[in-house]
Amino acid sequence: MSFLEIKQLTKKFAKTTVFKDINLQIEKGEFIVLLGPSGCGKSTLLNCIAGLLSTDSGQIMMEGEDMNVKHPSKRDIAMVFQSYALYPNMTVGKNISFGMKVRRIPEKTIQEKVSQVAGILNITELLNRKPYQLSGGQQQRVAIGRALVRDPKLFLFDEPLSNLDAKLRLKMRTEIKRLHKNLKTTIIYVTHDQVEAMTLADKIAVINHGKVMQFASPKEIYFSPNSAFVAQFIGSPPMNLIPASITKNATHYQIGIGNKGKQASFSLAIPAGNTLAKAKHSRLQLKNNESRKILLGIRPENIYLAKNIAGSKKLSAWKLSMRLDFIEPHGADNQLILDLDGMEIICRLHSDILLPKTSETEFYLDLNKAIFYDAESGECLS
């Protein structure tokens, strides 16, 4: 039995279905991130777990207990909101201890817990200040401290860093990760920022239109996205999805890209009976996909300048001539915007690599790293 089980959970607002038949199994001590675009239902799901919203059907089970029948105050769950929700007339110490005072915890215990939590979060010197005297990052620490003193079974974070600037967001990400490592508590964290998700999570649930598209480790989601949506949502820059087609003649399969008249602008011939690429996650059975429109997915870092590739790598790569439209310097990397028969392709190269001076240049697509999707459904074919 998992620590937290979400079974067939459905939530509607009037006639609008926010999410339907959500299923998740979360183990004790895991850091889970709910990731998806704005409006996909992730914050609503978090509020349903907390009990702030009712559900239409399904179950939320924590350690075998049905949370749907429990009042929010009885669920032993602490939530950190995007807005911090601090009382402006109270000091930091009183903000942190307010919930314990309401529950009539002995004063000595309150002081001990506040002191302990303030030490963990490095805000001891702030206990006598008011919220307006604090920076955004300090206010966020206070909001986390208010949740920590409850010592709950489950922490819920609803986009807690979205109001911070980039530098402070990076610092707070590190603080939250360190906090989880030290406390070993279970956390469910909502964000639309994929960098936050990739750096914080043990597992990520990618949500779109109220459906869990993939629930897996950050590594698996990045290297083996199970749908075209996940492939393009994860990664900065995202995976290139190149429209292509599979055809077959007497002896070979052909994968074609682009369209000049009725013929593909670029084609790759593969002997009949072969699979495309050797890597486990990119294996495409050509036999079952003749006459199918596909999307060839390739990460920008898996496209190389042809002149820089050793002969052994060429065996698993597809050489294509592309026009270099422009270069975006990104410090350690350069992002190249390429044109392939009118399609925009993004390539990422280390800044030390000498870039071509001619506009038309040969590149290799590493087919061992390619993933293939059905062009219509977005379903993974590899």
PDB file of all heavy atoms in Angstrom, residues 208 211 213 226-230 241 289 292-295 372-381:
ATOM      1  N   ASN A 208      -2.045  17.594 -18.464  1.00  0.00           N
ATOM      2  CA  ASN A 208      -2.555  18.453 -19.540  1.00  0.00           C
ATOM      3  C   ASN A 208      -4.047  18.192 -19.711  1.00  0.00           C
ATOM      4  O   ASN A 208      -4.481  17.040 -19.791  1.00  0.00           O
ATOM      5  CB  ASN A 208      -1.825  18.160 -20.852  1.00  0.00           C
ATOM      6  CG  ASN A 208      -2.172  19.172 -21.935  1.00  0.00           C
ATOM      7  OD1 ASN A 208      -2.331  20.361 -21.650  1.00  0.00           O
ATOM      8  ND2 ASN A 208      -2.298  18.720 -23.163  1.00  0.00           N
ATOM      9  N   LYS A 211      -5.584  15.563 -17.423  1.00  0.00           N
ATOM     10  CA  LYS A 211      -5.162  14.170 -17.580  1.00  0.00           C
ATOM     11  C   LYS A 211      -3.677  14.040 -17.261  1.00  0.00           C
ATOM     12  O   LYS A 211      -2.876  14.872 -17.684  1.00  0.00           O
ATOM     13  CB  LYS A 211      -5.437  13.701 -19.014  1.00  0.00           C
ATOM     14  CG  LYS A 211      -5.026  12.264 -19.292  1.00  0.00           C
ATOM     15  CD  LYS A 211      -5.278  11.898 -20.749  1.00  0.00           C
ATOM     16  CE  LYS A 211      -4.806  10.489 -21.055  1.00  0.00           C
ATOM     17  NZ  LYS A 211      -4.985  10.145 -22.494  1.00  0.00           N
ATOM     18  N   MET A 213      -0.446  12.836 -18.176  1.00  0.00           N
ATOM     19  CA  MET A 213       0.153  12.351 -19.414  1.00  0.00           C
ATOM     20  C   MET A 213       1.287  11.368 -19.147  1.00  0.00           C
ATOM     21  O   MET A 213       1.477  10.408 -19.885  1.00  0.00           O
ATOM     22  CB  MET A 213       0.682  13.538 -20.233  1.00  0.00           C
ATOM     23  CG  MET A 213      -0.331  14.638 -20.490  1.00  0.00           C
ATOM     24  SD  MET A 213      -1.752  14.079 -21.441  1.00  0.00           S
ATOM     25  CE  MET A 213      -1.008  13.758 -23.030  1.00  0.00           C
ATOM     26  N   ASN A 226       6.566   9.998 -23.212  1.00  0.00           N
ATOM     27  CA  ASN A 226       5.670   9.013 -23.811  1.00  0.00           C
ATOM     28  C   ASN A 226       4.629   9.599 -24.752  1.00  0.00           C
ATOM     29  O   ASN A 226       3.766   8.885 -25.248  1.00  0.00           O
ATOM     30  CB  ASN A 226       4.978   8.187 -22.712  1.00  0.00           C
ATOM     31  CG  ASN A 226       4.007   9.034 -21.881  1.00  0.00           C
ATOM     32  OD1 ASN A 226       3.892  10.245 -22.073  1.00  0.00           O
ATOM     33  ND2 ASN A 226       3.340   8.401 -20.939  1.00  0.00           N
ATOM     34  N   SER A 227       4.687  10.902 -24.992  1.00  0.00           N
ATOM     35  CA  SER A 227       3.768  11.530 -25.937  1.00  0.00           C
ATOM     36  C   SER A 227       4.413  12.789 -26.508  1.00  0.00           C
ATOM     37  O   SER A 227       5.372  13.319 -25.943  1.00  0.00           O
ATOM     38  CB  SER A 227       2.447  11.907 -25.245  1.00  0.00           C
ATOM     39  OG  SER A 227       2.656  12.946 -24.306  1.00  0.00           O
ATOM     40  N   ALA A 228       3.865  13.242 -27.628  1.00  0.00           N
ATOM     41  CA  ALA A 228       4.404  14.445 -28.264  1.00  0.00           C
ATOM     42  C   ALA A 228       4.238  15.655 -27.356  1.00  0.00           C
ATOM     43  O   ALA A 228       5.089  16.553 -27.337  1.00  0.00           O
ATOM     44  CB  ALA A 228       3.701  14.681 -29.605  1.00  0.00           C
ATOM     45  N   PHE A 229       3.149  15.692 -26.551  1.00  0.00           N
ATOM     46  CA  PHE A 229       2.952  16.816 -25.643  1.00  0.00           C
ATOM     47  C   PHE A 229       4.069  16.879 -24.606  1.00  0.00           C
ATOM     48  O   PHE A 229       4.678  17.929 -24.393  1.00  0.00           O
ATOM     49  CB  PHE A 229       1.597  16.724 -24.937  1.00  0.00           C
ATOM     50  CG  PHE A 229       1.457  17.733 -23.829  1.00  0.00           C
ATOM     51  CD1 PHE A 229       1.129  19.048 -24.116  1.00  0.00           C
ATOM     52  CD2 PHE A 229       1.706  17.386 -22.501  1.00  0.00           C
ATOM     53  CE1 PHE A 229       1.042  19.999 -23.099  1.00  0.00           C
ATOM     54  CE2 PHE A 229       1.605  18.321 -21.488  1.00  0.00           C
ATOM     55  CZ  PHE A 229       1.273  19.630 -21.791  1.00  0.00           C
ATOM     56  N   VAL A 230       4.357  15.752 -23.960  1.00  0.00           N
ATOM     57  CA  VAL A 230       5.409  15.721 -22.933  1.00  0.00           C
ATOM     58  C   VAL A 230       6.757  16.060 -23.559  1.00  0.00           C
ATOM     59  O   VAL A 230       7.566  16.799 -22.979  1.00  0.00           O
ATOM     60  CB  VAL A 230       5.456  14.352 -22.237  1.00  0.00           C
ATOM     61  CG1 VAL A 230       6.608  14.294 -21.236  1.00  0.00           C
ATOM     62  CG2 VAL A 230       4.137  14.066 -21.524  1.00  0.00           C
ATOM     63  N   LEU A 241      10.115  18.357 -33.040  1.00  0.00           N
ATOM     64  CA  LEU A 241       9.202  17.348 -33.576  1.00  0.00           C
ATOM     65  C   LEU A 241       9.069  17.604 -35.075  1.00  0.00           C
ATOM     66  O   LEU A 241       8.423  18.563 -35.500  1.00  0.00           O
ATOM     67  CB  LEU A 241       7.846  17.413 -32.889  1.00  0.00           C
ATOM     68  CG  LEU A 241       7.824  17.009 -31.410  1.00  0.00           C
ATOM     69  CD1 LEU A 241       6.425  17.143 -30.829  1.00  0.00           C
ATOM     70  CD2 LEU A 241       8.340  15.587 -31.209  1.00  0.00           C
ATOM     71  N   ASN A 289       4.309   0.217 -39.243  1.00  0.00           N
ATOM     72  CA  ASN A 289       3.993   1.635 -39.376  1.00  0.00           C
ATOM     73  C   ASN A 289       4.108   2.157 -40.801  1.00  0.00           C
ATOM     74  O   ASN A 289       4.310   3.346 -41.018  1.00  0.00           O
ATOM     75  CB  ASN A 289       4.914   2.444 -38.453  1.00  0.00           C
ATOM     76  CG  ASN A 289       4.630   2.185 -36.992  1.00  0.00           C
ATOM     77  OD1 ASN A 289       3.557   2.500 -36.505  1.00  0.00           O
ATOM     78  ND2 ASN A 289       5.572   1.571 -36.296  1.00  0.00           N
ATOM     79  N   ARG A 292       2.423   5.570 -42.552  1.00  0.00           N
ATOM     80  CA  ARG A 292       1.991   6.346 -41.394  1.00  0.00           C
ATOM     81  C   ARG A 292       2.698   7.694 -41.363  1.00  0.00           C
ATOM     82  O   ARG A 292       3.884   7.800 -41.656  1.00  0.00           O
ATOM     83  CB  ARG A 292       2.316   5.591 -40.099  1.00  0.00           C
ATOM     84  CG  ARG A 292       1.772   6.284 -38.837  1.00  0.00           C
ATOM     85  CD  ARG A 292       2.393   5.685 -37.585  1.00  0.00           C
ATOM     86  NE  ARG A 292       1.878   4.390 -37.244  1.00  0.00           N
ATOM     87  CZ  ARG A 292       0.879   4.178 -36.384  1.00  0.00           C
ATOM     88  NH1 ARG A 292       0.275   5.200 -35.805  1.00  0.00           N
ATOM     89  NH2 ARG A 292       0.494   2.963 -36.103  1.00  0.00           N
ATOM     90  N   LYS A 293       1.947   8.721 -41.023  1.00  0.00           N
ATOM     91  CA  LYS A 293       2.535  10.034 -40.776  1.00  0.00           C
ATOM     92  C   LYS A 293       3.065  10.043 -39.343  1.00  0.00           C
ATOM     93  O   LYS A 293       2.330   9.683 -38.407  1.00  0.00           O
ATOM     94  CB  LYS A 293       1.495  11.146 -40.954  1.00  0.00           C
ATOM     95  CG  LYS A 293       0.940  11.257 -42.370  1.00  0.00           C
ATOM     96  CD  LYS A 293       2.000  11.716 -43.352  1.00  0.00           C
ATOM     97  CE  LYS A 293       1.405  11.915 -44.742  1.00  0.00           C
ATOM     98  NZ  LYS A 293       2.434  12.293 -45.733  1.00  0.00           N
ATOM     99  N   ILE A 294       4.306  10.438 -39.186  1.00  0.00           N
ATOM    100  CA  ILE A 294       4.923  10.393 -37.869  1.00  0.00           C
ATOM    101  C   ILE A 294       5.567  11.735 -37.534  1.00  0.00           C
ATOM    102  O   ILE A 294       5.662  12.627 -38.379  1.00  0.00           O
ATOM    103  CB  ILE A 294       5.987   9.281 -37.784  1.00  0.00           C
ATOM    104  CG1 ILE A 294       7.145   9.557 -38.763  1.00  0.00           C
ATOM    105  CG2 ILE A 294       5.374   7.913 -38.023  1.00  0.00           C
ATOM    106  CD1 ILE A 294       8.330   8.642 -38.584  1.00  0.00           C
ATOM    107  N   LEU A 295       5.988  11.842 -36.293  1.00  0.00           N
ATOM    108  CA  LEU A 295       6.813  12.963 -35.847  1.00  0.00           C
ATOM    109  C   LEU A 295       8.130  12.387 -35.368  1.00  0.00           C
ATOM    110  O   LEU A 295       8.155  11.491 -34.518  1.00  0.00           O
ATOM    111  CB  LEU A 295       6.130  13.727 -34.707  1.00  0.00           C
ATOM    112  CG  LEU A 295       4.808  14.406 -35.036  1.00  0.00           C
ATOM    113  CD1 LEU A 295       4.154  14.940 -33.760  1.00  0.00           C
ATOM    114  CD2 LEU A 295       4.989  15.532 -36.034  1.00  0.00           C
ATOM    115  N   PHE A 372       9.941   8.542 -31.726  1.00  0.00           N
ATOM    116  CA  PHE A 372       8.980   8.714 -32.810  1.00  0.00           C
ATOM    117  C   PHE A 372       7.556   8.687 -32.263  1.00  0.00           C
ATOM    118  O   PHE A 372       7.225   7.887 -31.385  1.00  0.00           O
ATOM    119  CB  PHE A 372       9.180   7.626 -33.859  1.00  0.00           C
ATOM    120  CG  PHE A 372      10.561   7.643 -34.457  1.00  0.00           C
ATOM    121  CD1 PHE A 372      11.596   6.933 -33.863  1.00  0.00           C
ATOM    122  CD2 PHE A 372      10.832   8.398 -35.585  1.00  0.00           C
ATOM    123  CE1 PHE A 372      12.876   6.966 -34.384  1.00  0.00           C
ATOM    124  CE2 PHE A 372      12.109   8.434 -36.115  1.00  0.00           C
ATOM    125  CZ  PHE A 372      13.137   7.721 -35.517  1.00  0.00           C
ATOM    126  N   TYR A 373       6.714   9.559 -32.830  1.00  0.00           N
ATOM    127  CA  TYR A 373       5.337   9.701 -32.370  1.00  0.00           C
ATOM    128  C   TYR A 373       4.381   9.669 -33.555  1.00  0.00           C
ATOM    129  O   TYR A 373       4.740  10.068 -34.672  1.00  0.00           O
ATOM    130  CB  TYR A 373       5.158  11.024 -31.616  1.00  0.00           C
ATOM    131  CG  TYR A 373       6.078  11.174 -30.431  1.00  0.00           C
ATOM    132  CD1 TYR A 373       7.304  11.821 -30.552  1.00  0.00           C
ATOM    133  CD2 TYR A 373       5.742  10.634 -29.194  1.00  0.00           C
ATOM    134  CE1 TYR A 373       8.170  11.937 -29.474  1.00  0.00           C
ATOM    135  CE2 TYR A 373       6.604  10.746 -28.107  1.00  0.00           C
ATOM    136  CZ  TYR A 373       7.811  11.391 -28.255  1.00  0.00           C
ATOM    137  OH  TYR A 373       8.662  11.490 -27.190  1.00  0.00           O
ATOM    138  N   ASP A 374       3.173   9.200 -33.292  1.00  0.00           N
ATOM    139  CA  ASP A 374       2.133   9.270 -34.308  1.00  0.00           C
ATOM    140  C   ASP A 374       1.753  10.732 -34.510  1.00  0.00           C
ATOM    141  O   ASP A 374       1.502  11.457 -33.542  1.00  0.00           O
ATOM    142  CB  ASP A 374       0.907   8.459 -33.870  1.00  0.00           C
ATOM    143  CG  ASP A 374      -0.199   8.474 -34.908  1.00  0.00           C
ATOM    144  OD1 ASP A 374      -0.157   7.638 -35.824  1.00  0.00           O
ATOM    145  OD2 ASP A 374      -1.089   9.349 -34.791  1.00  0.00           O
ATOM    146  N   ALA A 375       1.704  11.176 -35.771  1.00  0.00           N
ATOM    147  CA  ALA A 375       1.473  12.594 -36.060  1.00  0.00           C
ATOM    148  C   ALA A 375       0.081  13.048 -35.640  1.00  0.00           C
ATOM    149  O   ALA A 375      -0.120  14.215 -35.291  1.00  0.00           O
ATOM    150  CB  ALA A 375       1.684  12.855 -37.551  1.00  0.00           C
ATOM    151  N   GLU A 376      -0.878  12.147 -35.634  1.00  0.00           N
ATOM    152  CA  GLU A 376      -2.256  12.532 -35.324  1.00  0.00           C
ATOM    153  C   GLU A 376      -2.551  12.466 -33.834  1.00  0.00           C
ATOM    154  O   GLU A 376      -3.044  13.434 -33.232  1.00  0.00           O
ATOM    155  CB  GLU A 376      -3.247  11.624 -36.079  1.00  0.00           C
ATOM    156  CG  GLU A 376      -4.697  12.067 -35.931  1.00  0.00           C
ATOM    157  CD  GLU A 376      -5.633  11.254 -36.805  1.00  0.00           C
ATOM    158  OE1 GLU A 376      -5.189  10.729 -37.836  1.00  0.00           O
ATOM    159  OE2 GLU A 376      -6.819  11.145 -36.437  1.00  0.00           O
ATOM    160  N   SER A 377      -2.214  11.356 -33.216  1.00  0.00           N
ATOM    161  CA  SER A 377      -2.566  11.162 -31.789  1.00  0.00           C
ATOM    162  C   SER A 377      -1.489  11.642 -30.824  1.00  0.00           C
ATOM    163  O   SER A 377      -1.764  11.893 -29.656  1.00  0.00           O
ATOM    164  CB  SER A 377      -2.838   9.671 -31.516  1.00  0.00           C
ATOM    165  OG  SER A 377      -1.633   8.924 -31.649  1.00  0.00           O
ATOM    166  N   GLY A 378      -0.237  11.782 -31.315  1.00  0.00           N
ATOM    167  CA  GLY A 378       0.873  12.137 -30.448  1.00  0.00           C
ATOM    168  C   GLY A 378       1.389  10.966 -29.631  1.00  0.00           C
ATOM    169  O   GLY A 378       2.312  11.108 -28.835  1.00  0.00           O
ATOM    170  N   GLU A 379       0.835   9.761 -29.856  1.00  0.00           N
ATOM    171  CA  GLU A 379       1.251   8.573 -29.105  1.00  0.00           C
ATOM    172  C   GLU A 379       2.656   8.150 -29.497  1.00  0.00           C
ATOM    173  O   GLU A 379       3.044   8.216 -30.665  1.00  0.00           O
ATOM    174  CB  GLU A 379       0.278   7.435 -29.417  1.00  0.00           C
ATOM    175  CG  GLU A 379       0.624   6.102 -28.794  1.00  0.00           C
ATOM    176  CD  GLU A 379      -0.273   4.979 -29.292  1.00  0.00           C
ATOM    177  OE1 GLU A 379      -1.188   5.256 -30.087  1.00  0.00           O
ATOM    178  OE2 GLU A 379      -0.031   3.827 -28.895  1.00  0.00           O
ATOM    179  N   CYS A 380       3.422   7.718 -28.516  1.00  0.00           N
ATOM    180  CA  CYS A 380       4.796   7.275 -28.770  1.00  0.00           C
ATOM    181  C   CYS A 380       4.785   5.946 -29.519  1.00  0.00           C
ATOM    182  O   CYS A 380       4.075   5.018 -29.145  1.00  0.00           O
ATOM    183  CB  CYS A 380       5.549   7.132 -27.448  1.00  0.00           C
ATOM    184  SG  CYS A 380       7.298   6.737 -27.663  1.00  0.00           S
ATOM    185  N   LEU A 381       5.589   5.870 -30.572  1.00  0.00           N
ATOM    186  CA  LEU A 381       5.687   4.654 -31.381  1.00  0.00           C
ATOM    187  C   LEU A 381       6.951   3.873 -31.105  1.00  0.00           C
ATOM    188  O   LEU A 381       7.141   2.772 -31.603  1.00  0.00           O
ATOM    189  CB  LEU A 381       5.637   5.011 -32.882  1.00  0.00           C
ATOM    190  CG  LEU A 381       4.396   5.770 -33.351  1.00  0.00           C
ATOM    191  CD1 LEU A 381       4.557   6.196 -34.797  1.00  0.00           C
ATOM    192  CD2 LEU A 381       3.150   4.915 -33.186  1.00  0.00           C
TER     193      LEU A 381
END
